[in-house]
Amino acid sequence: MRRVGHLWETVIARGNLVAAFHQAARGKRRKPAVRAFASDLDARLAAMRHELEAGTFETGRFTVFQVYDPKERTIHAPAFAEQVFHHALMNVCEPVLERRAVHHSYACRRGKGRLAAVAAARKAAAAHAWHLKLDIRKYFDSVPHGRLLDRLGRVFKDPAVTEWFGRVIRSHGGGAGRGLPIGSLTSQHLANFYLGALDQHCQRLPGVRAYVRYMDDFVCWADDKAALIAAGRSIAAFVEGTLGLDLKHPPRPQRSARGMDYLGERIFPGFSEPSRRSRVRYRRRLGLLAALHDARRISERETQERLTAATAFLLPTRSRRFRARVMERIRSAAIGHEPGEPGRQLEQQRDQRALREPQQQHARQHEQQQRLPSCPQLRPAVPEGAAKSPRGLNRPPSCSAGEIPAHEPTVGAPGAGSPAEAVSKAPGAPISARPLPPSTRPVPPAPERFPHAPRS
């Protein structure tokens, strides 16, 4: 493929610098450095362009800090002005590097990503019986500057572009000639570009039927174990001799049916589960959220937002039961809380109220009639074998208006009721014996309150 030139004028054009500023400031508008740069944007962009043309723009000013999730790493965040320059440079050069990438490379590319790599790995595991998973030992800290710049010179023929790529690359490493800073935009694309030769080498190997790479983690699939053993030897020699890197583990082919830990998931043929490390990480994160919420150090809204972000990583996998167990184990006011049912709660409160306790009346509201609680013992006796009326599955049986008048507060003894009325509700009863509608049914006399007490 031919080299590309005449890009530097597009890199330092004002429209490209303005777009680069907005890209670098995304999500950081409240930071003091971003606000200071945006306060006099036109003058600062004009000064940056003048410094880039004169070759006096300063690179290599990093803010260094440590992160420990998912593992310990040293992050080198460049100054905001350099971040703007990185975006301006990659806006023009990224499409050129994209045209030289293979289809099965999924890191730092638009339309790709981790989920696409996991989906491709599941599909390959279902189609092939053996896999060979490999990765590079301390990849970002081991990239040789000289070999990377030589490969960039085969792509770009604009001397200004290659010169500034060299300045950005050599600004990290302490003079050792190796390493790319984690946390820089250019590092992601250049690290992915450097392993493009490995992609082409692996896909040309005999017996390799499928291939997936996400940055320095790559997997080969085949139907024959012997083919993967030979491929592993060839890959190890290419990585060490041509790229100047080392593999973390020696090549060992494994059966696809046994599963493979890849990108935080356990890949099986056709599906995936959270890996052991992802499960431990999820438990720890939820435990920390519960402790912070109980100590009132974070609000309920922030707790729910962090919980959603932590759970989103596990949603594409088979993890519903695992997440339910973790939620049940780590219970707090904001975690594992289910929405209530206002209607059902009001009904339970009504059932717990005393029988003759009057309800609260609102102003300018008619007096409400008293409602009886659920009372299965007040239902009329139904003969054995008679059909029962259908009732809700989740609601307890309650007394109907036909069984006890709504205006009659007197409560009869258990089992009281008219046998004729019960027989009339049985299937096959004559029409004349059936009860009248509630509007025309005669009101029966109230039963005696104390049937066994002597009359005065």
Side-chain angles (χ1 to χ4, degrees), residues 5 48 71 96 275 432:
M48 176 184 294
K71 61 182 180 181
V96 180
S275 63
S432 59

Side-chain angles (χ1 to χ4, degrees), residues 267-280:
I267 307 296
F268 292 94
F271 70 97
S272 62
E273 297 177 351
S275 63
R276 181 180 178 276
R277 178 179 295 182
S278 298
R279 293 172 184 266
V280 173

Side-chain angles (χ1 to χ4, degrees), residues 263-322:
L263 303 180
E265 299 185 16
R266 185 74 177 175
I267 307 296
F268 292 94
F271 70 97
S272 62
E273 297 177 351
S275 63
R276 181 180 178 276
R277 178 179 295 182
S278 298
R279 293 172 184 266
V280 173
R281 181 185 179 190
Y282 186 73
R283 292 192 191 99
R284 290 178 178 176
R285 179 167 294 187
L286 261 64
L288 177 62
L289 288 179
L292 292 176
H293 181 272
D294 293 342
R296 299 183 181 276
R297 297 182 60 181
I298 58 176
S299 62
E300 182 174 352
R301 178 178 179 179
E302 185 177 359
T303 303
Q304 294 290 353
E305 291 176 353
R306 293 189 182 185
L307 174 62
T308 302
T311 308
F313 184 85
L314 303 181
L315 289 181
T317 65
R318 291 187 178 181
S319 59
R320 184 179 60 84
R321 294 184 179 179
F322 166 73

